[in-house]
Amino acid sequence: MAMNSTGRPTAPAQPLDPGADLQTFSGSRGLAQVEPLLHKVGSPEKCGVDLADVPNHTARLGNLKRQNPVDLPGLSEPEAMRHYVRLSQRNYAIDLGLYPLGSCTMKHNPRLNEKLARLPGFADVHPLQPQSTVQGALALMDELSHWLMAITGMDAVALSPKAGAHGEWCGMMCIRAAIEERGELGKRRRVLVPQSAHGTNPATAAACGFDIDELPADATGRVDMEVLRRKIGPDVAAIMLTNPNTCGLFERDIREIADLVHEAGGYFYCDGANLNAIMGKTRVRDLGVDAMHINLHKTFSTPHGGGGPGAGPVVLSKRLRNYAPVPYLVRDGQSLALVEDEAQSEAKPFGRMSAFHGQMGMFVRALAYMMSHGSDGLRRVSEDAVLNANYLLARLSDEMSPAYPGVCMHEALFDDDFLKDTGVTTLDFAKAMIDEGYHPMTMYFPLVVHGAMLIEPTETESKESLDRFADTLLALAKAAKSGAAARFTEAPLLAPLRRLDETRAARSPVLRWQET
Ligand SMILES: *Cc1c(COP(=O)(O)O)cnc(C)c1O
């Protein structure tokens, strides 16, 4: 048993739960509380507050009065509280441990950001308030825009997109509008997308009415330039390229790629989800980019996961800035104003993407993150993110198989070569990580690598945390190679739920609660 200097045990004697077979009477397992569905905790007859009957009133709803009960479970405050806290305890979170999900940049969300986002001047404003009463909020959006343009060197920014994929749509619609204005929409139909791209890239191009043409990767995991040169032509509308790409590698030929696309009359859309690797080091403008989304919820630490609100502002080059959607901010003398109406615009907005101006709460958090780091701090963020990923790449290479030789950017990519003939798959390996208390890395993505495992530690992990993670993965890799396949194929053994039928859950989700 591991002991500290005062003789206290610091780790359990047994590596696996010795009480795994113990059936408890309550259904809870120690601190893991059993929790039924909300509809079983509360009931429609119950009410969480005591309200006196309203004397002598006549309903003014007429025949709009509800005939049937709403059938929502009534709950007291502690019941509601416990329900969600208990469920949260069965889940994984960045506040609980390292979250190595590649390409997702799961970094710590500083609490300072939360404090500022809750200031009533930001949290309690309404998007339909007169603009003269929200000048502070507009000034914050203006300042955020300046930071985003300074970081990327780009000419304009559209703030309203609410996620990376939404930003892609915004950028590609700007490109479409520019092509349409040139009268070339009929003949410029092809969008080049590398095979390693995030699925949202081809989906966006298709949603904008383009045809997708796949670009293979070369032996180093980057765009195959020979194929690209062959494919480029006057019918190319754009290329959608991620840099660093989803193999965690810098596209070294990016300048040449941009030039080739521009010479052919096309546009360069850059997927900026991996900005955390190059922020403050590489100016996006210098790469020849025409449009790029920035996932504030990745690079700038606004919370994400579980479908929470994101924000995907899009920076635009001079060639595209005119097509940015409404609403957008303009300075009007001393004050700021949102241009809401396409007809009022002096530019040529392609349209509107959402009811209002974007995710205010995320804007506040992102700007708080930027200002608390400063420009030197933001550069340091990307340096440390890359350092941490390379530290893991170097340590894990002892037992695991890197997909490509050499150093990486902000994420380390492995293939399943090290699991060959062990009877353990990438999926099994990931499930065994759950037993070890870790959220698995990104699996089977990018598609260009067999059995891919994509690990992104981010800059907010300490060396101790990285070492503990690396030690665990190395031990798992050794166990797989030494024939302990059952530990993997049965995993997770210690999670609240075992292996779920994820395909069935996705294909035929049960969205309505039913009494069984
Ligand atoms: C996360 C991500 C996206 C999509 O961003 P969302 O905010 O999830 O819509 C697109 N491309 C890459 C490379 C990503 O990692």
Side-chain angles (χ1 to χ4, degrees):
M1 190 184 288
M3 304 268 190
N4 67 10
S5 57
T6 59
R8 281 229 224 141
T10 55
Q14 299 284 336
L16 287 179
D17 180 5
D21 295 331
L22 176 70
Q23 291 301 317
T24 61
F25 298 110
S26 64
S28 296
R29 297 188 66 76
L31 299 182
Q33 306 281 337
V34 69
E35 184 63 9
L37 291 173
L38 202 55
H39 287 263
K40 297 205 170 161
V41 183
S43 70
E45 299 80 50
K46 221 155 108 177
C47 184
V49 286
D50 292 324
L51 296 174
D53 284 339
V54 184
N56 310 328
H57 82 290
T58 20
R60 285 174 290 169
L61 292 171
N63 60 2
L64 294 175
K65 193 168 176 242
R66 176 180 291 285
Q67 304 296 313
N68 305 310
V70 258
D71 244 2
L72 290 174
L75 294 157
S76 68
E77 185 170 306
E79 282 171 332
M81 201 70 208
R82 280 184 184 160
H83 179 73
Y84 290 107
V85 172
R86 285 176 175 193
L87 291 188
S88 77
Q89 308 273 298
R90 295 170 166 232
N91 217 333
Y92 200 83
I94 186 65
D95 291 341
L96 195 69
L98 188 151
Y99 210 128
L101 212 48
S103 205
C104 293
T105 314
M106 305 298 287
K107 61 170 76 174
H108 171 67
N109 312 124
R111 289 318 186 253
L112 174 66
N113 303 356
E114 298 304 317
K115 188 173 170 184
L116 296 178
R118 283 164 177 71
L119 291 175
F122 296 127
D124 296 345
V125 292
H126 191 280
L128 291 177
Q129 247 171 272
Q131 292 185 20
S132 62
T133 65
V134 290
Q135 285 294 309
L138 297 184
L140 181 133
M141 289 166 60
D142 190 47
E143 175 118 21
L144 175 69
S145 304
H146 282 288
W147 276 82
L148 293 172
M149 289 190 287
I151 288 167
T152 56
M154 299 290 279
D155 295 287
V157 57
L159 286 181
S160 66
K162 295 183 174 173
H166 208 205
E168 288 174 36
W169 191 37
C170 175
M172 290 304 286
M173 286 300 285
C174 289
I175 289 173
R176 197 189 138 102
I179 293 175
E180 190 167 16
E181 197 181 352
R182 282 158 51 183
E184 295 182 354
L185 202 53
K187 65 173 193 163
R188 272 192 197 276
R189 304 201 41 82
R190 211 149 45 95
V191 172
L192 302 172
V193 184
Q195 265 170 359
S196 64
H198 195 272
T200 50
N201 292 185
T204 298
C208 293
F210 293 111
D211 303 326
I212 289 104
D213 192 0
E214 266 193 357
L215 287 172
D218 67 9
T220 75
R222 297 172 176 87
V223 169
D224 188 323
M225 291 300 287
E226 288 210 358
V227 178
L228 175 70
R229 281 188 206 102
R230 249 197 336 268
K231 288 196 178 224
I232 218 92
D235 62 331
V236 167
I239 187 168
M240 294 185 85
L241 189 68
T242 312
N243 194 37
N245 68 21
T246 59
C247 299
L249 302 170
F250 196 88
E251 292 282 357
R252 288 186 291 234
D253 297 314
I254 190 157
R255 269 295 343 174
E256 190 185 344
I257 295 172
D259 291 344
L260 285 170
V261 173
H262 288 152
E263 279 158 24
Y267 294 87
F268 178 6
Y269 185 89
C270 186
D271 181 327
N274 294 338
L275 183 62
N276 209 45
I278 58 171
M279 172 170 54
K281 307 292 285 184
T282 305
R283 265 201 327 178
V284 171
R285 173 203 202 94
D286 299 341
L287 304 179
V289 169
D290 292 302
M292 183 182 91
H293 74 262
I294 298 169
N295 306 61
L296 296 187
H297 44 290
K298 294 179 180 173
T299 312
F300 299 106
S301 82
T302 73
H304 65 303
V314 177
V315 286
L316 299 165
S317 67
K318 272 204 180 67
R319 307 168 71 202
L320 292 180
R321 62 176 302 168
N322 246 357
Y323 309 101
V326 289
Y328 59 84
L329 266 181
V330 288
R331 193 163 276 287
D332 182 6
Q334 287 292 57
S335 59
L336 287 158
L338 286 167
V339 176
E340 292 277 1
D341 196 345
E342 286 169 61
Q344 278 169 9
S345 170
E346 288 167 8
K348 295 172 179 157
F350 73 76
R352 170 185 285 273
M353 302 198 69
S354 61
F356 302 117
H357 50 270
Q359 302 281 26
M360 192 65 204
M362 298 304 127
F363 296 164
V364 181
R365 288 173 176 87
L367 185 63
Y369 180 85
M370 292 170 180
M371 295 182 83
S372 56
H373 279 75
S375 54
D376 54 337
L378 292 181
R379 181 179 306 127
R380 180 77 186 272
V381 162
S382 54
E383 288 170 353
D384 288 352
V386 172
L387 181 66
N388 277 2
N390 277 286
Y391 183 68
L392 283 184
L393 177 64
R395 283 215 56 197
L396 295 177
S397 295
D398 288 347
E399 293 291 339
M400 294 168 65
S401 41
Y404 297 103
V407 296
C408 63
M409 294 294 287
H410 62 304
E411 50 194 352
L413 179 60
F414 298 88
D415 59 25
D416 59 2
D417 223 36
F418 74 101
L419 294 175
K420 207 169 167 197
D421 302 328
T422 60
V424 176
T425 64
T426 290
L427 181 73
D428 300 330
F429 194 82
K431 295 292 183 194
M433 285 170 67
I434 298 176
D435 282 336
E436 304 293 336
Y438 285 111
H439 192 288
M441 64 269 145
T442 290
M443 306 177 281
Y444 300 106
F445 174 82
L447 305 175
V448 288
V449 167
H450 198 268
M453 302 179 201
L454 185 61
I455 298 175
E456 180 181 7
T458 83
E459 72 284 359
T460 56
E461 294 305 320
S462 65
K463 178 164 181 298
E464 291 70 28
S465 158
L466 296 177
D467 277 329
R468 208 176 316 130
F469 180 69
D471 289 343
T472 305
L473 260 61
L474 290 171
L476 282 175
K478 277 191 193 137
K481 290 177 196 176
S482 65
R487 177 183 190 128
F488 294 86
T489 52
E490 295 287 305
L493 293 157
L494 304 178
L497 294 171
R498 300 286 303 280
R499 278 217 195 183
L500 306 177
D501 187 342
E502 286 149 2
T503 312
R504 191 156 71 97
R507 294 252 163 98
S508 37
V510 181
L511 299 176
R512 213 191 148 93
W513 173 76
Q514 279 161 339
E515 185 79 67
T516 46

